mmCIF file of all heavy atoms in Angstrom:
data_model
loop_
_atom_site.group_PDB
_atom_site.id
_atom_site.type_symbol
_atom_site.label_atom_id
_atom_site.label_comp_id
_atom_site.label_asym_id
_atom_site.label_seq_id
_atom_site.Cartn_x
_atom_site.Cartn_y
_atom_site.Cartn_z
ATOM 1 N N ALA A 1 0.806 -1.207 0.025
ATOM 2 C CA ALA A 1 0.017 0.093 -0.017
ATOM 3 C C ALA A 1 0.818 1.201 0.024
ATOM 4 O O ALA A 1 0.539 2.288 -0.650
ATOM 5 C CB ALA A 1 -0.919 0.010 1.257
ATOM 6 N N PHE A 2 2.017 1.200 0.710
ATOM 7 C CA PHE A 2 2.927 2.361 0.701
ATOM 8 C C PHE A 2 3.409 2.651 -0.679
ATOM 9 O O PHE A 2 3.516 3.742 -1.173
ATOM 10 C CB PHE A 2 4.056 2.023 1.685
ATOM 11 C CG PHE A 2 5.062 3.181 1.729
ATOM 12 C CD1 PHE A 2 4.788 4.264 2.542
ATOM 13 C CD2 PHE A 2 6.261 3.011 1.111
ATOM 14 C CE1 PHE A 2 5.705 5.293 2.600
ATOM 15 C CE2 PHE A 2 7.277 4.090 1.202
ATOM 16 C CZ PHE A 2 6.928 5.187 1.949
ATOM 17 N N GLU A 3 3.919 1.584 -1.402
ATOM 18 C CA GLU A 3 4.424 1.815 -2.733
ATOM 19 C C GLU A 3 3.284 2.272 -3.701
ATOM 20 O O GLU A 3 3.561 3.168 -4.485
ATOM 21 C CB GLU A 3 4.926 0.441 -3.351
ATOM 22 C CG GLU A 3 6.328 0.010 -2.730
ATOM 23 C CD GLU A 3 6.715 -1.332 -3.084
ATOM 24 O OE1 GLU A 3 5.868 -2.374 -2.956
ATOM 25 O OE2 GLU A 3 7.828 -1.442 -3.738
ATOM 26 N N PHE A 4 2.133 1.812 -3.541
ATOM 27 C CA PHE A 4 0.950 2.169 -4.413
ATOM 28 C C PHE A 4 0.671 3.684 -4.145
ATOM 29 O O PHE A 4 0.453 4.399 -4.992
ATOM 30 C CB PHE A 4 -0.211 1.350 -4.169
ATOM 31 C CG PHE A 4 -1.433 1.633 -4.937
ATOM 32 C CD1 PHE A 4 -1.551 1.228 -6.324
ATOM 33 C CD2 PHE A 4 -2.426 2.501 -4.454
ATOM 34 C CE1 PHE A 4 -2.642 1.431 -7.044
ATOM 35 C CE2 PHE A 4 -3.532 2.731 -5.273
ATOM 36 C CZ PHE A 4 -3.653 2.294 -6.501
ATOM 37 N N ALA A 5 0.660 4.037 -2.857
ATOM 38 C CA ALA A 5 0.347 5.463 -2.540
ATOM 39 C C ALA A 5 1.412 6.403 -3.075
ATOM 40 O O ALA A 5 1.124 7.574 -3.444
ATOM 41 C CB ALA A 5 0.236 5.633 -1.013
ATOM 42 N N GLY A 6 2.653 5.946 -3.016
ATOM 43 C CA GLY A 6 3.751 6.764 -3.551
ATOM 44 C C GLY A 6 3.841 6.945 -4.969
ATOM 45 O O GLY A 6 4.208 8.064 -5.537
ATOM 46 N N PHE A 7 3.404 5.968 -5.783
ATOM 47 C CA PHE A 7 3.544 6.030 -7.249
ATOM 48 C C PHE A 7 2.814 4.832 -7.798
ATOM 49 O O PHE A 7 3.079 3.728 -7.445
ATOM 50 C CB PHE A 7 5.031 5.952 -7.649
ATOM 51 C CG PHE A 7 5.330 6.185 -9.045
ATOM 52 C CD1 PHE A 7 5.313 7.460 -9.593
ATOM 53 C CD2 PHE A 7 5.472 5.099 -9.876
ATOM 54 C CE1 PHE A 7 5.535 7.616 -10.991
ATOM 55 C CE2 PHE A 7 5.750 5.233 -11.227
ATOM 56 C CZ PHE A 7 5.729 6.471 -11.863
ATOM 57 N N HIS A 8 1.842 5.050 -8.626
ATOM 58 C CA HIS A 8 1.120 4.012 -9.278
ATOM 59 C C HIS A 8 0.625 4.454 -10.614
ATOM 60 O O HIS A 8 0.643 5.583 -10.986
ATOM 61 C CB HIS A 8 -0.019 3.539 -8.472
ATOM 62 C CG HIS A 8 -1.088 4.529 -8.181
ATOM 63 N ND1 HIS A 8 -0.999 5.508 -7.130
ATOM 64 C CD2 HIS A 8 -2.236 4.787 -8.819
ATOM 65 C CE1 HIS A 8 -2.107 6.251 -7.221
ATOM 66 N NE2 HIS A 8 -2.852 5.875 -8.206
ATOM 67 N N ILE A 9 0.097 3.535 -11.404
ATOM 68 C CA ILE A 9 -0.380 3.741 -12.754
ATOM 69 C C ILE A 9 -1.847 4.159 -12.605
ATOM 70 O O ILE A 9 -2.604 3.586 -11.807
ATOM 71 C CB ILE A 9 -0.266 2.530 -13.567
ATOM 72 C CG1 ILE A 9 1.174 2.182 -13.780
ATOM 73 C CG2 ILE A 9 -0.956 2.719 -14.944
ATOM 74 C CD1 ILE A 9 1.493 0.906 -14.507
ATOM 75 N N ALA A 10 -2.167 5.319 -13.247
ATOM 76 C CA ALA A 10 -3.534 5.860 -13.168
ATOM 77 C C ALA A 10 -4.498 4.842 -13.611
ATOM 78 O O ALA A 10 -4.315 4.183 -14.606
ATOM 79 C CB ALA A 10 -3.605 7.166 -14.100
ATOM 80 N N GLY A 11 -5.595 4.722 -12.826
ATOM 81 C CA GLY A 11 -6.593 3.741 -13.174
ATOM 82 C C GLY A 11 -6.375 2.391 -12.519
ATOM 83 O O GLY A 11 -7.299 1.485 -12.745
ATOM 84 N N SER A 12 -5.200 2.128 -11.889
ATOM 85 C CA SER A 12 -4.943 0.796 -11.419
ATOM 86 C C SER A 12 -5.615 0.770 -9.994
ATOM 87 O O SER A 12 -5.917 1.751 -9.367
ATOM 88 C CB SER A 12 -3.509 0.500 -11.264
ATOM 89 O OG SER A 12 -2.873 1.432 -10.403
ATOM 90 N N ILE A 13 -5.915 -0.391 -9.525
ATOM 91 C CA ILE A 13 -6.337 -0.667 -8.189
ATOM 92 C C ILE A 13 -5.321 -1.360 -7.329
ATOM 93 O O ILE A 13 -4.546 -2.123 -8.001
ATOM 94 C CB ILE A 13 -7.691 -1.498 -8.235
ATOM 95 C CG1 ILE A 13 -7.540 -2.857 -8.751
ATOM 96 C CG2 ILE A 13 -8.796 -0.710 -8.929
ATOM 97 C CD1 ILE A 13 -8.753 -3.754 -8.515
ATOM 98 N N SER A 14 -5.416 -1.253 -6.080
ATOM 99 C CA SER A 14 -4.384 -1.912 -5.219
ATOM 100 C C SER A 14 -5.126 -3.037 -4.515
ATOM 101 O O SER A 14 -6.245 -2.945 -3.934
ATOM 102 C CB SER A 14 -3.921 -0.910 -4.188
ATOM 103 O OG SER A 14 -3.020 -1.553 -3.240
ATOM 104 N N LEU A 15 -4.465 -4.199 -4.579
ATOM 105 C CA LEU A 15 -4.891 -5.400 -3.756
ATOM 106 C C LEU A 15 -3.771 -5.927 -3.024
ATOM 107 O O LEU A 15 -2.659 -6.107 -3.467
ATOM 108 C CB LEU A 15 -5.487 -6.494 -4.778
ATOM 109 C CG LEU A 15 -6.844 -6.277 -5.423
ATOM 110 C CD1 LEU A 15 -7.192 -7.545 -6.213
ATOM 111 C CD2 LEU A 15 -7.944 -6.026 -4.314
ATOM 112 N N ASN A 16 -4.078 -6.192 -1.724
ATOM 113 C CA ASN A 16 -3.046 -6.734 -0.774
ATOM 114 C C ASN A 16 -3.718 -8.066 -0.201
ATOM 115 O O ASN A 16 -4.872 -7.897 0.349
ATOM 116 C CB ASN A 16 -2.731 -5.747 0.246
ATOM 117 C CG ASN A 16 -1.575 -6.199 1.149
ATOM 118 O OD1 ASN A 16 -1.752 -7.163 1.812
ATOM 119 N ND2 ASN A 16 -0.437 -5.532 1.024
ATOM 120 N N SER A 17 -3.085 -9.121 -0.273
ATOM 121 C CA SER A 17 -3.589 -10.391 0.302
ATOM 122 C C SER A 17 -3.943 -10.158 1.794
ATOM 123 O O SER A 17 -5.003 -10.878 2.200
ATOM 124 C CB SER A 17 -2.704 -11.517 0.060
ATOM 125 O OG SER A 17 -1.425 -11.389 0.721
ATOM 126 N N GLY A 18 -3.256 -9.473 2.514
ATOM 127 C CA GLY A 18 -3.490 -9.337 3.943
ATOM 128 C C GLY A 18 -4.892 -8.779 4.271
ATOM 129 O O GLY A 18 -5.483 -8.992 5.225
ATOM 130 N N ASP A 19 -5.444 -7.923 3.333
ATOM 131 C CA ASP A 19 -6.780 -7.455 3.487
ATOM 132 C C ASP A 19 -7.876 -8.456 3.286
ATOM 133 O O ASP A 19 -9.005 -8.165 3.640
ATOM 134 C CB ASP A 19 -6.967 -6.249 2.452
ATOM 135 C CG ASP A 19 -6.000 -5.082 2.711
ATOM 136 O OD1 ASP A 19 -5.544 -5.016 3.772
ATOM 137 O OD2 ASP A 19 -5.845 -4.358 1.766
ATOM 138 N N PHE A 20 -7.496 -9.644 2.825
ATOM 139 C CA PHE A 20 -8.512 -10.697 2.590
ATOM 140 C C PHE A 20 -8.341 -11.928 3.617
ATOM 141 O O PHE A 20 -8.937 -12.895 3.368
ATOM 142 C CB PHE A 20 -8.471 -11.155 1.161
ATOM 143 C CG PHE A 20 -9.000 -10.028 0.268
ATOM 144 C CD1 PHE A 20 -8.209 -9.020 -0.121
ATOM 145 C CD2 PHE A 20 -10.283 -10.164 -0.265
ATOM 146 C CE1 PHE A 20 -8.670 -8.007 -1.056
ATOM 147 C CE2 PHE A 20 -10.747 -9.237 -1.096
ATOM 148 C CZ PHE A 20 -9.922 -8.070 -1.511
ATOM 149 N N LEU A 21 -7.434 -11.704 4.536
ATOM 150 C CA LEU A 21 -7.126 -12.696 5.560
ATOM 151 C C LEU A 21 -7.832 -12.329 6.821
ATOM 152 O O LEU A 21 -7.918 -11.174 7.201
ATOM 153 C CB LEU A 21 -5.613 -12.899 5.707
ATOM 154 C CG LEU A 21 -4.834 -13.302 4.469
ATOM 155 C CD1 LEU A 21 -3.342 -13.279 4.841
ATOM 156 C CD2 LEU A 21 -5.285 -14.615 3.933
ATOM 157 N N ILE A 22 -8.114 -13.345 7.586
ATOM 158 C CA ILE A 22 -8.669 -13.127 8.963
ATOM 159 C C ILE A 22 -7.770 -13.839 9.913
ATOM 160 O O ILE A 22 -7.136 -14.857 9.639
ATOM 161 C CB ILE A 22 -10.166 -13.558 9.099
ATOM 162 C CG1 ILE A 22 -10.307 -15.039 8.811
ATOM 163 C CG2 ILE A 22 -11.068 -12.778 8.212
ATOM 164 C CD1 ILE A 22 -11.668 -15.587 9.079
ATOM 165 N N LEU A 23 -7.798 -13.362 11.161
ATOM 166 C CA LEU A 23 -6.960 -13.959 12.230
ATOM 167 C C LEU A 23 -7.701 -15.222 12.738
ATOM 168 O O LEU A 23 -8.798 -15.147 13.228
ATOM 169 C CB LEU A 23 -6.839 -13.024 13.402
ATOM 170 C CG LEU A 23 -5.917 -13.316 14.478
ATOM 171 C CD1 LEU A 23 -4.504 -13.580 13.911
ATOM 172 C CD2 LEU A 23 -5.907 -12.289 15.578
ATOM 173 N N LYS A 24 -7.069 -16.430 12.494
ATOM 174 C CA LYS A 24 -7.690 -17.668 12.963
ATOM 175 C C LYS A 24 -7.300 -17.988 14.369
ATOM 176 O O LYS A 24 -8.081 -18.512 15.225
ATOM 177 C CB LYS A 24 -7.258 -18.803 12.040
ATOM 178 C CG LYS A 24 -7.886 -20.086 12.308
ATOM 179 C CD LYS A 24 -7.550 -21.177 11.382
ATOM 180 C CE LYS A 24 -8.186 -22.523 11.789
ATOM 181 N NZ LYS A 24 -7.909 -23.631 10.796
ATOM 182 N N ASN A 25 -6.021 -17.677 14.742
ATOM 183 C CA ASN A 25 -5.482 -18.015 16.088
ATOM 184 C C ASN A 25 -4.682 -16.853 16.541
ATOM 185 O O ASN A 25 -3.621 -16.684 16.107
ATOM 186 C CB ASN A 25 -4.709 -19.310 15.988
ATOM 187 C CG ASN A 25 -4.285 -19.815 17.359
ATOM 188 O OD1 ASN A 25 -4.209 -19.060 18.307
ATOM 189 N ND2 ASN A 25 -3.912 -21.082 17.477
ATOM 190 N N PRO A 26 -5.246 -16.137 17.513
ATOM 191 C CA PRO A 26 -4.503 -14.926 18.046
ATOM 192 C C PRO A 26 -3.229 -15.331 18.739
ATOM 193 O O PRO A 26 -2.245 -14.502 18.681
ATOM 194 C CB PRO A 26 -5.443 -14.327 19.125
ATOM 195 C CG PRO A 26 -6.816 -14.964 18.817
ATOM 196 C CD PRO A 26 -6.556 -16.257 18.116
ATOM 197 N N LYS A 27 -3.061 -16.514 19.263
ATOM 198 C CA LYS A 27 -1.849 -16.869 19.995
ATOM 199 C C LYS A 27 -0.690 -17.081 19.009
ATOM 200 O O LYS A 27 0.419 -16.676 19.240
ATOM 201 C CB LYS A 27 -2.005 -18.141 20.872
ATOM 202 C CG LYS A 27 -2.944 -17.935 22.015
ATOM 203 C CD LYS A 27 -3.042 -19.250 22.899
ATOM 204 C CE LYS A 27 -3.954 -18.957 23.988
ATOM 205 N NZ LYS A 27 -4.175 -20.127 24.904
ATOM 206 N N THR A 28 -0.977 -17.696 17.893
ATOM 207 C CA THR A 28 0.134 -17.992 16.923
ATOM 208 C C THR A 28 0.067 -16.936 15.879
ATOM 209 O O THR A 28 0.948 -16.978 14.986
ATOM 210 C CB THR A 28 -0.133 -19.382 16.254
ATOM 211 O OG1 THR A 28 -1.365 -19.353 15.511
ATOM 212 C CG2 THR A 28 -0.104 -20.414 17.344
ATOM 213 N N GLU A 29 -0.959 -16.003 15.899
ATOM 214 C CA GLU A 29 -1.131 -15.055 14.861
ATOM 215 C C GLU A 29 -1.288 -15.662 13.431
ATOM 216 O O GLU A 29 -0.980 -15.063 12.426
ATOM 217 C CB GLU A 29 0.004 -13.984 14.852
ATOM 218 C CG GLU A 29 0.080 -13.294 16.122
ATOM 219 C CD GLU A 29 1.076 -12.167 16.194
ATOM 220 O OE1 GLU A 29 1.544 -11.762 15.059
ATOM 221 O OE2 GLU A 29 1.421 -11.704 17.269
ATOM 222 N N LYS A 30 -1.872 -16.801 13.361
ATOM 223 C CA LYS A 30 -2.183 -17.442 12.186
ATOM 224 C C LYS A 30 -3.359 -16.865 11.460
ATOM 225 O O LYS A 30 -4.400 -16.603 12.089
ATOM 226 C CB LYS A 30 -2.483 -18.961 12.425
ATOM 227 C CG LYS A 30 -2.670 -19.763 11.139
ATOM 228 C CD LYS A 30 -2.886 -21.199 11.424
ATOM 229 C CE LYS A 30 -3.117 -21.995 10.129
ATOM 230 N NZ LYS A 30 -3.231 -23.489 10.342
ATOM 231 N N ARG A 31 -3.198 -16.607 10.203
ATOM 232 C CA ARG A 31 -4.235 -15.939 9.337
ATOM 233 C C ARG A 31 -4.507 -16.896 8.220
ATOM 234 O O ARG A 31 -3.743 -17.581 7.712
ATOM 235 C CB ARG A 31 -3.709 -14.608 8.829
ATOM 236 C CG ARG A 31 -3.417 -13.658 9.914
ATOM 237 C CD ARG A 31 -3.035 -12.235 9.426
ATOM 238 N NE ARG A 31 -2.664 -11.299 10.403
ATOM 239 C CZ ARG A 31 -3.505 -10.736 11.224
ATOM 240 N NH1 ARG A 31 -4.806 -10.854 11.086
ATOM 241 N NH2 ARG A 31 -3.111 -9.862 12.210
ATOM 242 N N VAL A 32 -5.893 -16.819 7.880
ATOM 243 C CA VAL A 32 -6.381 -17.714 6.792
ATOM 244 C C VAL A 32 -7.257 -16.827 5.850
ATOM 245 O O VAL A 32 -7.796 -15.674 6.292
ATOM 246 C CB VAL A 32 -7.142 -18.898 7.378
ATOM 247 C CG1 VAL A 32 -6.307 -19.799 8.158
ATOM 248 C CG2 VAL A 32 -8.362 -18.403 8.130
ATOM 249 N N LEU A 33 -7.492 -17.342 4.692
ATOM 250 C CA LEU A 33 -8.407 -16.583 3.819
ATOM 251 C C LEU A 33 -9.810 -16.524 4.395
ATOM 252 O O LEU A 33 -10.263 -17.528 4.939
ATOM 253 C CB LEU A 33 -8.447 -17.321 2.466
ATOM 254 C CG LEU A 33 -9.433 -16.714 1.402
ATOM 255 C CD1 LEU A 33 -8.883 -15.335 0.930
ATOM 256 C CD2 LEU A 33 -9.480 -17.705 0.147
ATOM 257 N N ASP A 34 -10.466 -15.448 4.285
ATOM 258 C CA ASP A 34 -11.830 -15.272 4.783
ATOM 259 C C ASP A 34 -12.626 -16.383 4.037
ATOM 260 O O ASP A 34 -12.727 -16.378 2.869
ATOM 261 C CB ASP A 34 -12.294 -13.895 4.510
ATOM 262 C CG ASP A 34 -13.618 -13.574 5.065
ATOM 263 O OD1 ASP A 34 -14.442 -14.502 5.457
ATOM 264 O OD2 ASP A 34 -14.059 -12.390 4.991
ATOM 265 N N PRO A 35 -13.374 -17.175 4.797
ATOM 266 C CA PRO A 35 -14.070 -18.238 4.318
ATOM 267 C C PRO A 35 -15.396 -17.879 3.514
ATOM 268 O O PRO A 35 -15.977 -18.581 2.811
ATOM 269 C CB PRO A 35 -14.428 -19.254 5.430
ATOM 270 C CG PRO A 35 -14.313 -18.369 6.635
ATOM 271 C CD PRO A 35 -13.369 -17.326 6.368
ATOM 272 N N ASP A 36 -15.789 -16.603 3.678
ATOM 273 C CA ASP A 36 -16.869 -15.979 3.078
ATOM 274 C C ASP A 36 -16.475 -15.589 1.588
ATOM 275 O O ASP A 36 -16.285 -14.458 1.309
ATOM 276 C CB ASP A 36 -17.460 -14.842 3.854
ATOM 277 C CG ASP A 36 -18.839 -14.320 3.257
ATOM 278 O OD1 ASP A 36 -19.223 -14.869 2.217
ATOM 279 O OD2 ASP A 36 -19.374 -13.470 3.927
ATOM 280 N N LEU A 37 -16.476 -16.534 0.694
ATOM 281 C CA LEU A 37 -16.040 -16.278 -0.674
ATOM 282 C C LEU A 37 -16.986 -15.435 -1.406
ATOM 283 O O LEU A 37 -16.574 -14.670 -2.323
ATOM 284 C CB LEU A 37 -15.840 -17.614 -1.352
ATOM 285 C CG LEU A 37 -14.744 -18.520 -0.895
ATOM 286 C CD1 LEU A 37 -14.570 -19.740 -1.702
ATOM 287 C CD2 LEU A 37 -13.374 -17.723 -0.878
ATOM 288 N N ASP A 38 -18.278 -15.418 -1.040
ATOM 289 C CA ASP A 38 -19.308 -14.538 -1.687
ATOM 290 C C ASP A 38 -18.838 -13.099 -1.450
ATOM 291 O O ASP A 38 -18.997 -12.238 -2.275
ATOM 292 C CB ASP A 38 -20.680 -14.868 -1.262
ATOM 293 C CG ASP A 38 -21.152 -16.105 -1.804
ATOM 294 O OD1 ASP A 38 -20.696 -16.598 -2.919
ATOM 295 O OD2 ASP A 38 -22.016 -16.770 -1.162
ATOM 296 N N GLN A 39 -18.489 -12.876 -0.234
ATOM 297 C CA GLN A 39 -18.141 -11.555 0.181
ATOM 298 C C GLN A 39 -16.831 -11.042 -0.491
ATOM 299 O O GLN A 39 -16.675 -9.911 -0.891
ATOM 300 C CB GLN A 39 -18.007 -11.477 1.732
ATOM 301 C CG GLN A 39 -17.637 -10.103 2.214
ATOM 302 C CD GLN A 39 -16.249 -9.913 2.758
ATOM 303 O OE1 GLN A 39 -15.441 -10.825 2.762
ATOM 304 N NE2 GLN A 39 -15.968 -8.748 3.266
ATOM 305 N N ILE A 40 -15.867 -12.004 -0.707
ATOM 306 C CA ILE A 40 -14.616 -11.653 -1.391
ATOM 307 C C ILE A 40 -14.985 -11.362 -2.792
ATOM 308 O O ILE A 40 -14.461 -10.362 -3.406
ATOM 309 C CB ILE A 40 -13.621 -12.903 -1.314
ATOM 310 C CG1 ILE A 40 -13.118 -12.961 0.104
ATOM 311 C CG2 ILE A 40 -12.565 -12.774 -2.331
ATOM 312 C CD1 ILE A 40 -12.180 -14.176 0.365
ATOM 313 N N VAL A 41 -15.820 -12.141 -3.474
ATOM 314 C CA VAL A 41 -16.194 -11.958 -4.787
ATOM 315 C C VAL A 41 -16.854 -10.492 -4.944
ATOM 316 O O VAL A 41 -16.577 -9.611 -5.888
ATOM 317 C CB VAL A 41 -17.130 -12.996 -5.465
ATOM 318 C CG1 VAL A 41 -17.822 -12.492 -6.736
ATOM 319 C CG2 VAL A 41 -16.359 -14.200 -5.681
ATOM 320 N N GLU A 42 -17.654 -10.198 -3.986
ATOM 321 C CA GLU A 42 -18.331 -8.853 -3.923
ATOM 322 C C GLU A 42 -17.332 -7.711 -3.847
ATOM 323 O O GLU A 42 -17.412 -6.703 -4.504
ATOM 324 C CB GLU A 42 -19.353 -8.738 -2.780
ATOM 325 C CG GLU A 42 -20.141 -7.525 -2.732
ATOM 326 C CD GLU A 42 -21.217 -7.460 -1.561
ATOM 327 O OE1 GLU A 42 -21.670 -8.485 -1.251
ATOM 328 O OE2 GLU A 42 -21.458 -6.373 -1.053
ATOM 329 N N ARG A 43 -16.326 -7.920 -3.025
ATOM 330 C CA ARG A 43 -15.269 -6.871 -2.865
ATOM 331 C C ARG A 43 -14.566 -6.727 -4.177
ATOM 332 O O ARG A 43 -14.174 -5.615 -4.542
ATOM 333 C CB ARG A 43 -14.377 -7.213 -1.726
ATOM 334 C CG ARG A 43 -15.018 -7.063 -0.353
ATOM 335 C CD ARG A 43 -14.159 -7.616 0.757
ATOM 336 N NE ARG A 43 -12.881 -6.773 0.828
ATOM 337 C CZ ARG A 43 -11.923 -7.145 1.730
ATOM 338 N NH1 ARG A 43 -11.950 -8.270 2.394
ATOM 339 N NH2 ARG A 43 -10.775 -6.379 1.830
ATOM 340 N N LEU A 44 -14.230 -7.802 -4.826
ATOM 341 C CA LEU A 44 -13.531 -7.752 -6.087
ATOM 342 C C LEU A 44 -14.319 -7.117 -7.172
ATOM 343 O O LEU A 44 -13.829 -6.361 -7.945
ATOM 344 C CB LEU A 44 -13.008 -9.148 -6.501
ATOM 345 C CG LEU A 44 -11.980 -9.831 -5.533
ATOM 346 C CD1 LEU A 44 -11.734 -11.306 -5.999
ATOM 347 C CD2 LEU A 44 -10.773 -9.051 -5.502
ATOM 348 N N ALA A 45 -15.607 -7.441 -7.192
ATOM 349 C CA ALA A 45 -16.467 -6.915 -8.210
ATOM 350 C C ALA A 45 -16.671 -5.456 -8.029
ATOM 351 O O ALA A 45 -16.738 -4.695 -9.047
ATOM 352 C CB ALA A 45 -17.900 -7.607 -8.134
ATOM 353 N N LYS A 46 -16.644 -5.005 -6.804
ATOM 354 C CA LYS A 46 -16.714 -3.505 -6.658
ATOM 355 C C LYS A 46 -15.515 -2.778 -7.131
ATOM 356 O O LYS A 46 -15.554 -1.639 -7.465
ATOM 357 C CB LYS A 46 -16.849 -3.205 -5.099
ATOM 358 C CG LYS A 46 -18.290 -3.427 -4.489
ATOM 359 C CD LYS A 46 -18.312 -3.092 -3.095
ATOM 360 C CE LYS A 46 -19.719 -3.385 -2.565
ATOM 361 N NZ LYS A 46 -19.792 -2.989 -1.154
ATOM 362 N N ARG A 47 -14.360 -3.548 -7.303
ATOM 363 C CA ARG A 47 -13.219 -2.898 -7.796
ATOM 364 C C ARG A 47 -13.052 -3.273 -9.349
ATOM 365 O O ARG A 47 -12.064 -2.882 -9.908
ATOM 366 C CB ARG A 47 -11.963 -3.501 -7.068
ATOM 367 C CG ARG A 47 -11.975 -3.008 -5.690
ATOM 368 C CD ARG A 47 -10.714 -3.477 -4.878
ATOM 369 N NE ARG A 47 -10.625 -2.881 -3.653
ATOM 370 C CZ ARG A 47 -10.267 -3.533 -2.577
ATOM 371 N NH1 ARG A 47 -9.860 -4.834 -2.664
ATOM 372 N NH2 ARG A 47 -10.138 -2.894 -1.422
ATOM 373 N N GLY A 48 -14.126 -3.779 -9.831
ATOM 374 C CA GLY A 48 -14.108 -3.967 -11.323
ATOM 375 C C GLY A 48 -13.534 -5.249 -11.816
ATOM 376 O O GLY A 48 -13.531 -5.520 -13.079
#
């Protein structure tokens, strides 16, 4: 996100995998893909 904010191609969108992960285990800080794939598709569709 830092690189994108500093310089990017006009009209491009930024996607970072961390924004689509959820914390599964706070002790180990293990993250997994959000199991709500319909919501992921909706987020991607909003970005074109």
Side-chain angles (χ1 to χ4, degrees):
F2 179 76
E3 290 173 301
F4 182 82
F7 187 80
H8 64 275
I9 296 172
S12 63
I13 62 166
S14 177
L15 286 181
N16 186 298
S17 61
D19 295 338
F20 291 79
L21 301 175
I22 59 171
L23 187 62
K24 183 176 182 179
N25 185 338
K27 290 182 181 179
T28 63
E29 296 184 19
K30 182 178 182 176
R31 297 185 184 280
V32 297
L33 180 66
D34 185 345
D36 187 354
L37 293 179
D38 291 333
Q39 185 251 2
I40 289 174
V41 167
E42 185 177 327
R43 290 174 66 188
L44 295 173
K46 283 182 181 179
R47 293 182 172 144

